[in-house]
Amino acid sequence: MGVMTGSIGDDARSSSETSERGKAITYLDAEGVLLGYEIGLDDPAGGYMGNLHDFGINADQLTWYREVWQNEEVKTWLDEHKTKVKIKTEPRFEGYTVDLGTGIVCDPNDNEFDGFKLLNSGYLASNGLTLHELVMKEYLYRTNKNKLKKLINQRDQYEIHHIDGTEKGTKKGNSMTNLALLTAKEHHEITSLEKKLKAVGEMIKTTDPSMIFDLNLKPNKN
């Protein structure tokens, strides 16, 4: 089976889950204990998952990572609510609106505001306020004021994560479809995990490119 070698022996049983875009395979022993994964999941750097145990990646991490990428709770909220909202968390933007689904800010005359500029860090910001912070605060203002209060009062304990980091310099990349609120610890963990996934991707591409599957789990760019 290509890259799955070593501890995955002939006695292992495999089960697969097929989507329109690929296949994920789990390897179990006779008692049903998970031995490993062979899965083709796009990571932000263009690599793929596979041979996970050799890289210190376990099933719980994989499940969590997929949940962050799919961002289903946020997408459901956006589908069910008006996404263009009046800005309530930043007094300097009184009368302005922001679209939580597109990242577009409009002035009181409903003209698109062009004040968020690209910084050397790759983020969009206006006078020290990043667009992703504004969008997240406005989302939390409408969905979870307790989390909003924690984000404001304990800012060093939270990070606003760009799910697809390559899009952080675009307005759409700062919409709620591409943002996740994580604790500082979670953000460190997901950053470390993504580096491991990149290494896995390089291993697969050099060992057996035929084992690459695409499960199409990136955020919807529509």
Side-chain angles (χ1 to χ4, degrees):
M1 292 298 296
V3 298
M4 298 302 292
T5 59
S7 63
I8 308 299
D10 293 335
D11 294 334
R13 296 182 290 111
S14 66
S15 61
S16 64
E17 173 187 351
T18 303
S19 73
E20 292 181 358
R21 300 296 299 278
K23 181 182 291 183
I25 304 172
T26 56
Y27 290 84
L28 311 174
D29 65 15
E31 282 72 43
V33 176
L34 178 68
L35 295 178
Y37 274 97
E38 198 163 90
I39 182 169
L41 171 61
D42 264 334
D43 79 16
Y48 296 85
M49 288 181 168
N51 211 13
L52 301 184
H53 283 195
D54 288 356
F55 286 79
I57 303 171
N58 61 45
D60 289 340
Q61 289 173 311
L62 173 62
T63 300
W64 173 59
Y65 186 70
R66 289 176 59 162
E67 288 173 352
V68 172
W69 268 88
Q70 291 171 328
N71 207 13
E72 291 297 339
E73 182 178 343
V74 167
K75 290 177 180 177
T76 298
W77 189 92
L78 293 174
D79 286 341
E80 296 176 350
H81 296 82
K82 180 181 177 182
T83 60
K84 188 173 182 179
V85 298
K86 286 189 176 294
I87 294 176
K88 299 291 187 180
T89 63
E90 290 289 337
R92 74 181 100 167
F93 284 104
E94 183 178 357
Y96 285 64
T97 62
V98 61
D99 194 316
L100 304 180
T102 65
I104 294 175
V105 176
C106 290
D107 66 21
N109 295 318
D110 205 31
N111 298 312
E112 186 170 343
F113 177 65
D114 196 32
F116 284 89
K117 304 299 183 181
L118 188 64
L119 304 179
N120 291 335
S121 62
Y123 297 113
L124 290 174
S126 176
N127 294 321
L129 175 67
T130 57
L131 182 55
H132 61 270
E133 181 122 359
L134 174 64
V135 171
M136 179 59 74
K137 284 181 177 179
E138 291 302 316
Y139 173 74
L140 293 176
Y141 181 86
R142 288 155 179 85
T143 62
N144 194 323
K145 286 188 170 65
N146 286 332
K147 278 190 177 181
L148 173 61
K149 184 176 180 180
K150 288 181 179 179
L151 176 62
I152 294 173
N153 295 335
Q154 305 171 37
R155 188 63 184 86
D156 61 335
Q157 297 182 33
Y158 291 90
E159 293 286 348
I160 300 169
H161 178 63
H162 286 83
I163 297 171
D164 184 349
T166 65
E167 296 292 320
K168 68 182 183 182
T170 68
K171 291 177 181 178
K172 181 63 175 177
N174 286 279
S175 70
M176 280 306 304
T177 59
N178 195 45
L179 298 179
L181 182 64
L182 304 176
T183 65
K185 181 175 181 292
E186 288 172 336
H187 192 255
H188 173 77
E189 290 173 351
I190 204 168
T191 300
S192 175
L193 180 58
E194 287 175 344
K195 290 178 180 178
K196 293 178 181 179
L197 296 178
K198 182 178 180 180
V200 172
E202 292 304 315
M203 179 273 299
I204 292 180
K205 285 185 283 187
T206 57
T207 304
D208 189 350
S210 68
M211 297 311 301
I212 294 175
F213 303 110
D214 178 8
L215 296 187
N216 195 28
L217 294 180
K218 281 192 174 182
N220 190 336
K221 298 293 182 64
N222 293 336

